[in-house]
Amino acid sequence: VFIAQSRASGSHRDVEDEELTRIFVMIPKFYTEEDLREKFKMYGDIEYCSIIKNKTTGESKGLGYVRYLKPSQAARAIEECDRGYRAILAEPKNKSSESLEHDYYSNNTRQEPRGNTLPFCGQPEFCSFEKNESRIQESISKRLSVVSRLPFIQEQLFALFDLVPGLEYCDVQRDPHTNSGYAVIQYSTAASAIYAKYKLHGFEYPPGNRLTVIFLEDGSDSSE
């Protein structure tokens, strides 16, 4: 795992404490904190484990956090744990308004999907999306359009978007009349596409060149 510190981050100590030692995982709803600790203790010394629960019912949402003492231990857990856990670095606690569980996995039962393609089935909060009032209402799909003022290299762009689990294909298209870059990205689930757009829209790649990432219609039923 290669971890870079963003320009917006504070001191190295703050980054290490907040961004590099805590991972976010998807887990079966029956897991307890002890179960979570047991599954991830082999990768390093765990400071604490926590499970996200529904505030009303107290039931697990099937999401959890594991905090390690060292960044290298968190990185090892992400690399070596079962892919079904979808382990990623967690957002810092002070970014609660942007936290994963609120931005992506809403427990709004009015938007409960008809199907679930993610692991640990039966968890509708994985598949519905809670839009903040400031967000532009847009049609969500599994396909993304990526635009850049610089041309893309197929292998590099694929490697970037493959950091999000579920990448199905990356198609770089070239315009002989301009030097700009354009590509179509498709994931196996809308949840993966949502996460990729959230993380990579506005990302500088290479440094100084911002990517524009938007949803493309893929012919699927948007209610799912």
Side-chain angles (χ1 to χ4, degrees):
V1 174
F2 178 82
I3 302 172
Q5 178 176 346
S6 69
R7 294 177 181 176
S9 300
S11 69
H12 176 73
R13 183 185 183 90
D14 292 339
V15 172
E16 182 170 275
D17 286 348
E18 289 291 338
E19 295 184 18
L20 305 185
T21 58
R22 203 165 63 112
I23 67 173
F24 178 81
V25 294
M26 296 184 184
I27 56 176
K29 283 190 173 182
F30 61 80
Y31 267 30
T32 64
E33 290 183 2
E34 277 305 310
D35 292 328
L36 187 55
R37 180 181 293 271
E38 188 66 26
K39 292 291 184 181
F40 283 86
K41 69 180 183 181
M42 68 180 73
Y43 307 115
D45 299 317
I46 294 176
E47 184 175 330
Y48 68 80
C49 295
S50 63
I51 292 176
I52 301 170
K53 298 180 179 180
N54 185 297
K55 293 180 180 179
T56 304
T57 65
E59 294 180 351
S60 168
K61 290 186 175 184
L63 306 169
Y65 292 99
V66 180
R67 173 78 178 269
Y68 288 94
L69 295 181
K70 298 179 180 179
S72 59
Q73 296 168 341
R76 183 186 173 200
I78 291 173
E79 280 287 279
E80 298 182 10
C81 75
D82 189 288
R83 293 298 176 226
Y85 290 112
R86 296 290 195 268
I88 57 173
L89 284 173
E91 294 286 350
K93 289 181 180 179
N94 60 5
K95 294 184 181 178
S96 57
S97 63
E98 298 176 0
S99 62
L100 297 177
E101 66 270 24
H102 287 94
D103 273 356
Y104 305 122
Y105 309 126
S106 165
N107 60 354
N108 186 342
T109 55
R110 289 174 298 177
Q111 296 181 351
E112 182 172 338
R114 290 179 299 211
N116 186 355
T117 57
L118 288 176
F120 315 129
C121 294
Q123 302 177 46
E125 55 268 48
F126 282 175
C127 301
S128 54
F129 182 61
E130 180 180 344
K131 297 183 179 69
N132 293 336
E133 290 181 5
S134 62
R135 293 183 189 274
I136 298 173
Q137 301 293 312
E138 57 188 327
S139 177
I140 294 170
S141 73
K142 295 181 289 186
R143 189 175 298 166
L144 300 171
S145 166
V146 187
V147 180
S148 161
R149 62 183 177 84
L150 296 179
F152 293 130
I153 298 175
Q154 173 82 28
E155 293 77 11
Q156 292 180 351
L157 194 67
F158 183 94
L160 178 64
F161 280 83
D162 195 37
L163 292 173
V164 177
L167 180 64
E168 290 189 333
Y169 71 78
C170 168
D171 181 22
V172 172
Q173 302 176 12
R174 302 183 185 278
D175 185 342
H177 305 293
T178 68
N179 199 37
S180 59
Y182 178 76
V184 175
I185 306 288
Q186 180 160 312
Y187 288 93
S188 57
T189 67
S192 292
I194 291 168
Y195 186 67
K197 180 181 184 299
Y198 174 74
K199 281 296 185 182
L200 295 173
H201 177 65
F203 183 75
E204 292 192 5
Y205 184 78
N209 178 61
R210 287 183 174 273
L211 301 181
T212 300
V213 183
I214 61 174
F215 289 109
L216 278 179
E217 286 291 341
D218 61 2
S220 63
D221 184 351
S222 60
S223 65
E224 295 189 38

